[in-house]
């Protein structure tokens, strides 16, 4: 019983943390899910894939609450979806090749730039 | 709909389907490059992400790459976390939440820039070791 508790505690903690970030920021749950899933024991690639599966239901609940609270309208998101789904098809089939280190660095630089701008907005 | 929005959607979809931070792209685009309010940007991203994640998860599950038993357990706890997270958003308000998101991006971005050093080095080390053996 105790060992089962020990085994499930990281899973529960991981889920709660991912949900908290995803609900709070409306994004970033996946970025957090990948390292946490790796800690639970998944390898790099399967951590990325399973991260998407983990945050899908969480995002659905968060989106419904945002809608109910009137923070957002369904029509706000619609224009982005066709390009997004095309991107998802590209991403899901291309994932055999996780982006190179340099691509990650460029993206990281972009994140820092955007983060600083958001901080001083 | 302009070209920038199209690319924001496309890149967000590509990165989002790979669990690489697609949400950040769209939230950043909306809150920095349009006059969308922070919470509306967040909500838009959540709605946007649903069909994107669906598409990706269907493909991954066809390839039998999703460990459902594990992900369902994590997601269930995630639902509780999401409710708590949104409670926190209400408490903080859009402006503070936006700044906190900015702070998180800076931290994650720096990690993204530097953390992979170890991986390159270890790959290089493996290559060097192989060459030495042969």
């Amino acid at each position: 019983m105790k060992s089962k508790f020990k085994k499930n505690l990281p899973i529960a903690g991981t889920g709660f943390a991912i949900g908290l970030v995803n609900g709070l920021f409306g994004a970033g749950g996946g970025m957090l899910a990948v390292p946490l899933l790796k800690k639970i024991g998944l390898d790099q690639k399967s951590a990325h894939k399973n991260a998407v599966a983990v945050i899908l239901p969480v995002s659905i609940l968060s989106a419904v609450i945002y809608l109910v609270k009137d923070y957002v309208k369904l029509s706000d998101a619609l224009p982005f979806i066709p390009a997004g789904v095309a991107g998802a098809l590209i991403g899901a089939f291309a994932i055999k090749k996780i982006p190179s280190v340099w691509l990650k660095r460029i993206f990281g630089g972009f994140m820092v730039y955007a983060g600083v701008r958001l901080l001083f907005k | 709909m302009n070209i920038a929005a199209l690319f924001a959607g496309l890149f967000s979809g590509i990165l989002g389907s790979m669990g690489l931070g697609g949400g950040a792209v769209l939230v950043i685009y909306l809150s920095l490059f349009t006059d969308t309010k922070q919470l509306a940007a967040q909500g838009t991203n959540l709605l946007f992400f649903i069909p994107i994640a669906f598409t990706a998860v269907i493909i991954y599950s066809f390839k039998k790459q999703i460990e459902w038993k594990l992900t369902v357990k994590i997601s269930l706890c995630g639902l509780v976390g999401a409710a708590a997270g949104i409670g926190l958003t209400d408490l903080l308000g859009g402006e503070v939440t936006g700044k906190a998101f900015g702070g998180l991006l800076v931290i994650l971005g720096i990690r993204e820039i530097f953390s992979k050093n170890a991986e390159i080095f270890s790959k290089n080390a493996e290559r060097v070791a192989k060459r030495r053996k042969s």
Side-chain angles (χ1 to χ4, degrees):
Chain A
M1 193 61 201
K2 210 177 176 188
S3 71
K4 203 177 175 189
F5 178 73
K6 261 189 182 167
K7 208 184 110 195
N8 280 322
L9 195 64
I11 292 176
T14 294
F16 188 79
I18 293 166
L20 193 73
V21 168
N22 216 49
L24 176 59
F25 297 122
M31 273 190 282
L32 182 64
V34 170
L36 290 177
L37 285 172
K38 273 166 74 180
K39 250 187 201 152
I40 289 178
L42 298 187
D43 65 49
Q44 176 85 29
K45 270 181 204 163
S46 92
H48 279 271
K49 290 167 185 168
N50 284 282
V52 182
V54 165
I55 42 177
L56 174 57
V58 178
S59 293
I60 292 174
L61 177 70
S62 300
V64 168
I65 300 178
Y66 271 70
L67 279 174
V68 170
K69 285 185 180 282
D70 221 13
Y71 288 154
V72 67
K73 292 189 299 290
L74 211 54
S75 58
D76 292 340
L78 283 177
F80 297 99
I81 287 174
V85 171
L89 289 170
I90 297 171
F93 283 115
I95 202 163
K96 276 165 232 143
K97 305 154 205 152
I98 294 255
S100 73
V101 180
W102 281 106
L103 217 61
K104 281 193 161 187
R105 287 193 177 154
I106 293 167
F107 186 51
F110 167 70
M111 282 165 71
V112 172
Y113 161 78
V116 170
R117 274 199 59 189
L118 273 174
L119 274 170
F120 295 102
K121 196 182 169 187
Chain B
M1 167 148 229
N2 59 35
I3 297 278
L6 200 74
F7 273 102
L10 184 70
F11 280 119
S12 186
I14 294 175
L15 294 175
S17 66
M18 297 167 106
L20 284 169
V25 174
L26 194 59
V27 173
I28 290 166
Y29 168 75
L30 288 169
S31 56
L32 284 185
F33 300 100
T34 72
D35 52 7
T36 312
K37 291 229 164 69
Q38 179 66 27
L39 294 186
Q42 298 186 180
T44 302
N45 180 57
L46 286 168
L47 286 168
F48 164 84
F49 186 68
I50 294 168
I52 276 64
F54 246 114
T55 308
V57 168
I58 287 170
I59 294 170
Y60 298 148
S61 79
F62 262 113
K63 296 184 185 170
K64 302 212 184 324
Q65 291 163 329
I66 303 289
E67 309 208 12
W68 289 112
K69 253 192 196 165
L70 180 68
T71 61
V72 167
K73 267 194 217 165
I74 297 176
S75 290
L76 283 176
C77 302
L79 296 180
V80 183
I86 295 173
L88 204 56
T89 308
D90 287 340
L91 220 67
L92 296 174
E95 209 168 306
V96 178
T97 306
K99 289 199 192 303
F101 185 60
L104 180 74
L105 280 178
V106 171
I107 295 167
L108 289 175
I110 290 172
R111 253 198 66 191
E112 199 87 337
I113 294 171
F114 290 106
S115 72
K116 291 300 153 184
N117 268 330
E119 209 169 283
I120 319 175
F121 286 144
S122 68
K123 263 185 195 159
N124 269 340
E126 273 170 39
R127 242 175 263 151
V128 171
K130 258 187 200 166
R131 234 177 274 150
R132 275 194 191 143
K133 265 185 202 166
S134 58

